[in-house]
Amino acid sequence: RKEVEQDPGPFNVPEGATVAFNCTYSNSASQSFFWYRQDCRKEPKLLMSVYSSGNEDGRFTAQLNRASQYISLLIRDSKLSDSATYLCVVRGSGGYQKVTFGTGTKLQVIP
Amino acid sequence: SQTIHQWPATLVQPVGSPLSLECTVEGTSNPNLYWYRQAAGRGLQLLFYSVGIGQISSEVPQNLSASRPQDRQFILSSKKLLLSDSGFYLCAWSVKLAGSEQYFGPGTRLTVT
């Protein structure tokens, strides 16, 4: 089983739609969780951290389910500019806190 | 604010040639530094990380090496490139705080021919 698994997509959604991505992780001792966005041929950029209680940033909502070991990202009112690959990132415990990236879910928002 | 620089942006090198990629961070001190590689259509693979000057840990055995000669400088090197070294090389930094996020540089796209 991969340490971090994501559906690669692509998710093709019309403008204004709501779309949700899930990500599962295998290490129950994982401590921190993030969503990054990566545009084509660009570096990943931090979208948001994921907190145990869930958190929202504008149209984006992130949720963490420790019991089932998954995190989710919900995008409401999709914009063309949301088209990108969304990377799930899990950070472990311990002195180094190993960071593991998922392979990403591709989103294409269609006019 | 913090800034991370990488150069060159693109590089085409023949098999067997040496490599040196440089990364520098501004606006912070004593960061953790990381080198990742992303092959075409693949996820990010951690190559090296460093918690301080001269302190390098390797995640994956390969023909690459890394050095940290100064607090905010991280260098990725190879003596002889392989075709399989082609990819998108990304440098990242984070603060030394549990659970902190990483911030990436713009990357170097390397093609080995």
Side-chain angles (χ1 to χ4, degrees), chain A residues 32 36 38 41 91 96-97, chain B residues 38 46 98-100 102 105 109:
Chain A
S32 309
Y36 281 71
Q38 186 173 24
R41 301 179 69 83
R91 190 157 198 173
Y96 160 55
Q97 299 176 9
Chain B
Q38 187 174 38
L46 179 64
S100 60
Q102 296 181 337
R109 197 161 297 277

Side-chain angles (χ1 to χ4, degrees), chain B:
Chain B
S1 63
Q2 300 85 10
T3 310
I4 178 168
H5 303 278
Q6 279 187 252
W7 62 91
T10 59
L11 194 58
V12 180
Q13 292 282 101
V15 168
S17 63
L19 173 74
S20 181
L21 302 181
E22 189 164 342
C23 167
T24 58
V25 182
E26 295 178 358
T28 188
S29 59
N30 196 27
N32 286 341
L33 296 173
Y34 311 83
W35 277 112
Y36 288 89
R37 177 172 61 201
Q38 187 174 38
R42 305 282 297 275
L44 271 73
Q45 179 187 36
L46 179 64
L47 302 175
F48 301 95
Y49 67 92
S50 171
V51 298
I53 295 174
Q55 301 178 64
I56 309 294
S57 295
S58 174
E59 284 290 298
V60 181
Q62 59 224 320
N63 68 321
L64 299 171
S65 62
S67 62
R68 185 171 176 173
Q70 299 181 45
D71 180 46
R72 290 171 288 177
Q73 183 185 29
F74 206 21
I75 298 171
L76 182 70
S77 304
S78 174
K79 292 182 179 178
K80 286 186 177 181
L81 284 169
L82 306 172
L83 284 174
S84 58
D85 291 325
S86 294
F88 191 34
Y89 287 82
L90 291 153
C91 180
W93 73 274
S94 71
V95 298
K96 285 188 175 55
L97 184 66
S100 60
E101 59 275 13
Q102 296 181 337
Y103 297 95
F104 287 84
T108 294
R109 197 161 297 277
L110 171 66
T111 303
V112 182
T113 61

Side-chain angles (χ1 to χ4, degrees), chain A residues 18-45:
Chain A
T18 296
V19 61
F21 308 134
N22 282 338
C23 164
T24 58
Y25 60 95
S26 61
N27 185 353
S28 60
S30 298
Q31 295 291 315
S32 309
F33 308 88
F34 309 92
W35 283 103
Y36 281 71
R37 168 198 172 122
Q38 186 173 24
D39 293 292
C40 188
R41 301 179 69 83
K42 297 288 189 180
E43 75 274 23
K45 293 186 177 176

Side-chain angles (χ1 to χ4, degrees), chain A residues 81-103:
Chain A
S81 57
D82 293 333
S83 297
T85 296
Y86 290 83
L87 306 175
C88 169
V89 181
V90 175
R91 190 157 198 173
S93 57
Y96 160 55
Q97 299 176 9
K98 179 182 175 182
V99 178
T100 305
F101 283 75
T103 52

